[in-house]
Amino acid sequence: MTPGRVIVVGSGIVGASCAYELALRGWSVELIDRAAFGAGCSHGNCGYICPSHVYPLARPGAIAATLPLMFRPNSPFKVRIRPDLSLLAWFAKFSRCCDARKAEETSIALHALLVAAKVRYEEIMALEKIDCDYEARGCLFISMHEAHMSAFEADNRRMIDRFGYGARRLNGAELARMEPTLRDGLGGAWMFDCDSHLRSDRFMSGMKAVLTRRGVVIRENCEARALEGSGERAATLATSRGPLRADAFVFATGAWTPLLSELIGIRLPIVPGKGYSVTARRPAHCPAYPMVFDEHRVAITPFGTGYRIGSTMEFAGYDERLRPERIALLKDSAALYLRHSEPLADEEPWWGWRPMVPDGRPFIDFVPRFKNVMVAAGHSMIGMSTGPATGQLVAEMLGGEEPHLEPGWFRVGR
Ligand SMILES: Cc1cc2nc3c(=O)[nH]c(=O)nc-3n(C[C@H](O)[C@H](O)[C@H](O)COP(=O)(O)OP(=O)(O)OC[C@H]3O[C@@H](n4cnc5c(N)ncnc54)[C@H](O)[C@@H]3O)c2cc1C
């Protein structure tokens, strides 16, 4: 398709990246969002840009490892039981994906997407000079008990053999020397030198300014409600602020995508996986490295301009409540690993819905109903890390260019 007028729905990292890549290729882009720009899941996440995360959640043994967590009080993983057929169907699909061959296929697709996105981030940072605390420092995956670390040994070896990178193993003493803000006596860590991090809310506001400078029209508080067209082509998007006509449409609506099934003509297996974070002023003893506390599944990101603790996973449907006990859980879990217990200052608590897909691979494809409508959603736990490459793939597919990644990996009908 030759560049014309395109409407991108959803202004998270995925929609913003699509808008950016399309604008660079000469499309006239309008980006709409039902709320404020970048205020969905892309706002308060941990900001890891992490090629380390090549393995999906759905893997052999995942169910057995996760089930006991569901019943533990104060667990970072929660399913709020309620009659919800889509969640049951999602878990049934998830359990079918816990298969070694499928997980291996997914890791190949995710690796390609993650590495391409990291390269694109570096190009964007050099070109657009977005002020977002971007740093390539690596990331520590810390174990409280040394025995816990062995679980990753075989995966790490496989990762190095297949993808050419992996983690360095640090024992407790090496870890203590590297990150003196940690408590004594921790088991050790896997250090992924390949990872970077940024402050997602700052990156998103930087992107908003870049997009505006590049001619993208941004409409906030504008909800997509219906899509009309004739034959195989959509022509008009009905929105809460009136109809918008275009030659092409991209739905980058994250966890909300199933709510738009009627518009796009396909129901994708995406459910909201709610996570929390709390952002504060940098503490006096601020860690130097981003780090994940593996047994408690909590992550810390130190920024030049602040400090964030995040994580937890709650399958609670479209529940918009901010639960203070989940924020307390983040802080209490982090405190188990840190030497200094300083109260946080200027706290900003936050929650977001990860767009969770059973096999861990996003959907980046045309929808079956229309030849000029694409969906780019389902980036699960690594959307911040993979958004820029998704934007490139969408722009390539819409413009009929040779794609830089294998589109078959991300088909809606897989
Ligand atoms: C606690 C936490 C920590 C995380 N940490 C990381 C991390 O360190 N690294 C990483 O890579 N990922 C991380 N993630 C995951 C990452 O945040 C998500 O995968 C990513 O933000 C998804 O981006 P998105 O653009 O698809 O969705 P979103 O950012 O949610 O954007 C979707 C947008 O669509 C809009 N929308 C929905 N429906 C409509 C409609 N009808 N009309 C108009 N607009 C609509 C919404 O308002 C929203 O703005 C984390 C997530 C959480 C919760």
Side-chain angles (χ1 to χ4, degrees):
M1 201 187 290
T2 47
R5 188 170 142 67
V6 59
I7 292 172
V8 178
V9 184
S11 67
I13 181 64
V14 176
S17 302
C18 293
Y20 179 70
E21 298 297 339
L22 287 160
L24 288 187
R25 286 164 176 78
W27 289 79
S28 157
V29 187
E30 187 153 348
L31 177 59
I32 70 162
D33 201 293
R34 57 185 282 286
F37 181 95
C41 198
S42 304
H43 177 83
N45 61 62
C46 296
Y48 293 0
I49 309 304
C50 45
S52 57
H53 282 49
V54 290
Y55 293 117
L57 271 189
R59 328 183 41 201
I63 304 256
T66 317
L67 265 183
L69 280 181
M70 277 170 59
F71 300 102
R72 208 174 76 189
N74 273 339
S75 169
F77 181 81
K78 271 246 170 321
V79 179
R80 295 201 185 269
I81 308 286
R82 61 200 195 288
D84 180 344
L85 286 180
S86 59
L87 188 60
L88 279 179
W90 191 94
F91 274 112
K93 283 203 174 85
F94 179 85
S95 72
R96 285 199 295 277
C97 295
C98 293
D99 161 274
R101 191 185 51 81
K102 283 191 183 144
E104 191 68 16
E105 263 174 40
T106 295
S107 71
I108 293 168
L110 293 184
H111 164 255
L113 196 62
L114 283 159
V115 170
K118 171 129 191 239
V119 170
R120 194 64 184 140
Y121 263 118
E122 274 158 15
E123 291 167 352
I124 292 171
M125 294 304 167
L127 186 65
E128 309 292 357
K129 315 254 176 311
I130 298 177
D131 182 10
C132 61
D133 297 336
Y134 182 77
E135 272 189 275
R137 269 192 171 246
C139 185
L140 286 165
F141 286 70
I142 296 173
S143 292
M144 184 166 265
H145 305 103
E146 199 186 343
H148 180 84
M149 292 190 63
S150 315
F152 189 66
E153 193 82 63
D155 279 347
N156 193 40
R157 224 171 302 120
R158 213 171 36 249
M159 204 170 152
I160 294 171
D161 290 347
R162 190 178 268 284
F163 303 125
Y165 64 86
R168 287 185 281 138
R169 188 174 178 145
L170 305 176
N171 63 29
E174 290 164 329
L175 175 63
R177 274 199 298 280
M178 191 163 167
E179 184 54 85
T181 59
L182 291 167
R183 258 179 213 280
D184 291 333
L186 294 177
W190 292 101
M191 173 65 182
F192 277 97
D193 294 300
C194 55
D195 289 356
S196 314
H197 67 281
L198 49 71
R199 183 162 170 170
S200 51
D201 47 326
R202 289 191 145 228
F203 180 78
M204 292 310 296
S205 30
M207 264 313 252
K208 186 178 180 186
V210 168
L211 291 174
T212 306
R213 209 163 57 230
R214 291 198 173 272
V216 173
V217 174
I218 297 172
R219 258 178 219 259
E220 298 178 312
N221 305 311
C222 178
E223 185 178 16
R225 293 198 171 152
L227 192 55
E228 288 142 21
S230 55
E232 291 175 322
R233 299 189 77 76
T236 308
L237 182 71
T239 77
S240 53
R241 295 179 56 188
L244 298 171
R245 289 185 67 77
D247 304 303
F249 302 84
V250 178
F251 285 83
T253 37
W256 287 261
T257 308
L259 306 179
L260 300 171
S261 303
E262 259 183 48
L263 266 81
I264 59 174
I266 185 168
R267 181 161 190 102
L268 295 170
I270 297 176
V271 294
K274 193 176 184 185
Y276 288 85
S277 73
V278 54
T279 306
R281 211 185 299 155
R282 272 172 73 87
H285 300 93
C286 191
Y289 292 92
M291 40 199 179
V292 178
F293 302 133
D294 222 21
E295 285 106 319
H296 290 79
R297 304 194 187 195
V298 166
I300 277 183
T301 324
F303 306 117
T305 57
Y307 175 73
R308 184 168 291 166
I309 313 177
S311 192
T312 76
M313 177 74 82
E314 224 174 55
F315 290 97
Y318 291 94
D319 170 18
E320 297 191 351
R321 273 169 296 180
L322 190 141
R323 293 177 185 267
E325 71 274 17
R326 303 302 277 171
I327 300 288
L329 177 67
L330 291 176
K331 292 195 270 185
D332 293 349
S333 302
L336 299 173
Y337 294 77
L338 296 171
R339 182 182 295 277
H340 308 276
S341 58
E342 295 169 51
L344 297 182
D346 301 338
E347 285 186 28
E348 182 204 331
W350 172 86
W351 63 266
W353 289 327
R354 299 176 186 90
M356 298 299 293
V357 288
D359 64 3
R361 254 185 270 172
F363 297 105
I364 310 168
D365 198 1
F366 288 92
V367 301
R369 185 171 152 207
F370 293 118
K371 284 205 154 64
N372 60 341
V373 178
M374 289 193 72
V375 66
H379 290 68
S380 300
M381 302 164 72
I382 52 170
M384 207 62 211
S385 301
T386 51
T390 302
Q392 285 178 299
L393 186 55
V394 164
E396 290 158 356
M397 289 172 75
L398 215 47
E401 290 171 38
E402 186 65 36
H404 74 297
L405 296 169
E406 168 52 55
W409 286 326
F410 309 109
R411 289 271 182 248
V412 293
R414 63 178 185 264

